[in-house]
Amino acid sequence: MTAASADEPENESEPEPGTVRPGGRTARVRTAVLRVAGDVLAEQGFAHLDLADVARRAGVGKTTVYRRWGSVTGLVADLLGDMAEQSLPRTETGSVLGDLRANAALVCRTLADPRQGALFRAVIAAAACDARTAEALRRFYEVRVAEWAPCVEQGVARGELPVGTDAGEVVRAVSAPLYYALLTSGVVPDEDAGERAAAAAVVAARGGVFVA
Amino acid sequence: MTAASADEPENESEPEPGTVRPGGRTARVRTAVLRVAGDVLAEQGFAHLDLADVARRAGVGKTTVYRRWGSVTGLVADLLGDMAEQSLPRTETGSVLGDLRANAALVCRTLADPRQGALFRAVIAAAACDARTAEALRRFYEVRVAEWAPCVEQGVARGELPVGTDAGEVVRAVSAPLYYALLTSGVVPDEDAGERAAAAAVVAARGGVFVA
């Protein structure tokens, strides 16, 4: 883990001209803090997230962390925003089934990854009892669905799926069984589950189930 | 809420012969305690569940509650066991689509109910960070899936679905999009979402997606 140095000045209102690398101090502090926040969420859960502890582990001044993120929920909201920005672009294979299999494989890899899987479970759990986290989580999935929706729209344009198919519904249908198995039964989705999720969504979409 | 009287004797190891109505004191204590536990989970979440507080609100001796449930996770596990026992039997309509629409409607009603919906969200959140709750939750869904699986098996026997269809997978496919929308985006499933979930599962099953 790359920690921002604790003895750099805390004044980050405006970086001095000419001294800032791409990324700069503000970006380095954010990277370090969000990395630690993600680690704590994945390892211990939302209840153990504490701004002073995050500052210490990230090697960043406590004042900086309080001033910038304000609260634990503010920090989690920023983490989710960063995860949406950093997440992978969609795959284009030339067929809607191929594209959605790639989407399912990405979801499976994410949920099966020890850190990422635990992080998602922690944030989803936190969203159940915290409105700000719930809103940040909703926006995260909105961004991800919007990223993959063109795969479905192209499938409609190519005549693979009926006109009027709700692209967002199809993309969500791919993720749903993978998340459901993990959250309700602790079943980490494997490659077969991903294939089945993509196939089920495409067969149902072809059948017109998702025509709005 | 019916509270068990706090001044009844706490010795409940064996009810005296002839003095026990169906239900008896032990059953009444359990009903009162589980009712309060469910209320606390739905209103405040897992983090606020406390055995002494539950005992007080249920009007039951603290010693009884500690002796019988031992811990908060023991109490939640028993609550989930009770929810599985109390939950409604499957519906038989004569077609797999009709049966699974009834299943989807039941899931939607449960998740849309303010107390039940909040209770499920709280328990699913708790399962993300507590192994005993996770195991109790897994068993709860196992019982529910086993209750509804015969609808799919009858559909196979009637020739509506291909031989070899995994009944559990089809039943889980109905619930998945309804839970996914609630847990990741806070969307309470409505009647349309239920119809779509049942239709998608049946169309995919007819297409052979769930043949093991």
Side-chain angles (χ1 to χ4, degrees):
Chain A
M1 205 209 72
T2 326
S5 169
D7 51 18
E8 287 184 58
E10 288 202 4
N11 184 344
E12 50 170 308
S13 53
E14 279 304 321
E16 284 178 45
T19 63
V20 179
R21 308 174 290 164
R25 167 156 165 79
T26 301
R28 274 181 293 130
V29 164
R30 185 179 182 223
T31 300
V33 167
L34 295 186
R35 177 79 206 179
V36 169
D39 288 345
V40 173
L41 282 168
E43 290 159 17
Q44 300 173 277
F46 185 76
H48 291 86
L49 202 57
D50 172 84
L51 289 196
D53 176 55
V54 168
R56 191 185 50 74
R57 287 179 55 171
V60 171
K62 203 162 73 172
T63 317
T64 301
V65 171
Y66 277 96
R67 196 172 53 218
R68 177 149 183 184
W69 286 280
S71 65
V72 162
T73 55
L75 180 56
V76 174
D78 193 37
L79 175 64
L80 282 162
D82 185 62
M83 284 162 63
E85 282 163 31
Q86 303 294 328
S87 56
L88 292 170
R90 71 191 168 97
T91 303
E92 291 190 67
T93 65
S95 82
V96 69
L97 181 59
D99 291 2
L100 294 182
R101 286 169 77 180
N103 176 250
L106 175 61
V107 172
C108 287
R109 275 202 306 280
T110 303
L111 298 182
D113 177 80
R115 182 179 188 274
Q116 291 277 94
L119 178 51
F120 274 94
R121 295 190 76 176
V123 175
I124 291 167
C129 49
D130 178 75
R132 188 166 175 192
T133 302
E135 177 54 25
L137 192 66
R138 194 190 63 68
R139 278 203 308 274
F140 171 83
Y141 288 105
E142 205 171 69
V143 169
R144 293 311 293 155
V145 168
E147 173 66 30
W148 286 86
C151 296
V152 178
E153 289 155 8
Q154 289 169 354
V156 173
R158 282 189 298 255
E160 293 182 81
L161 299 177
V163 172
T165 297
D166 183 325
E169 277 297 300
V170 180
V171 174
R172 280 188 288 269
V174 176
S175 284
L178 307 172
Y179 275 84
Y180 176 74
L182 181 67
L183 296 171
T184 64
S185 301
V187 176
V188 177
D190 60 13
E191 208 178 309
D192 281 357
E195 295 281 322
R196 212 160 43 231
V202 169
V203 169
R206 274 193 207 126
V209 172
F210 301 114
V211 172
Chain B
M1 204 210 72
T2 327
S5 170
D7 50 19
E8 288 184 56
E10 289 203 4
N11 184 344
E12 50 171 307
S13 54
E14 279 303 323
E16 285 178 45
T19 63
V20 179
R21 308 172 290 163
R25 168 157 163 77
T26 301
R28 275 179 295 130
V29 164
R30 183 177 183 227
T31 300
V33 166
L34 295 186
R35 176 79 206 179
V36 169
D39 288 346
V40 173
L41 281 168
E43 290 159 16
Q44 302 173 275
F46 185 76
H48 292 84
L49 202 58
D50 172 83
L51 289 195
D53 176 56
V54 167
R56 191 185 50 74
R57 286 179 58 170
V60 171
K62 205 162 70 171
T63 317
T64 302
V65 172
Y66 276 95
R67 195 171 51 218
R68 177 149 182 183
W69 287 280
S71 65
V72 162
T73 55
L75 180 56
V76 174
D78 192 37
L79 175 64
L80 281 162
D82 185 62
M83 285 162 65
E85 282 163 31
Q86 303 293 327
S87 55
L88 293 169
R90 71 192 168 97
T91 303
E92 290 190 68
T93 66
S95 82
V96 69
L97 180 60
D99 291 1
L100 294 182
R101 286 169 77 180
N103 176 251
L106 175 62
V107 173
C108 287
R109 277 201 308 278
T110 303
L111 298 182
D113 177 81
R115 182 180 188 275
Q116 290 278 93
L119 179 52
F120 273 94
R121 295 189 76 175
V123 175
I124 291 167
C129 49
D130 178 75
R132 188 165 174 192
T133 303
E135 177 54 25
L137 191 65
R138 195 190 62 70
R139 278 202 308 272
F140 172 84
Y141 288 105
E142 206 171 68
V143 169
R144 294 310 293 154
V145 168
E147 173 65 30
W148 286 85
C151 296
V152 177
E153 289 155 8
Q154 288 168 355
V156 173
R158 283 189 298 256
E160 293 182 82
L161 300 178
V163 172
T165 296
D166 183 324
E169 279 296 300
V170 180
V171 174
R172 280 187 288 269
V174 176
S175 284
L178 307 172
Y179 275 84
Y180 176 73
L182 181 67
L183 296 170
T184 64
S185 301
V187 176
V188 177
D190 60 13
E191 208 178 310
D192 281 357
E195 294 281 323
R196 213 160 43 234
V202 170
V203 169
R206 273 192 208 127
V209 172
F210 302 115
V211 173

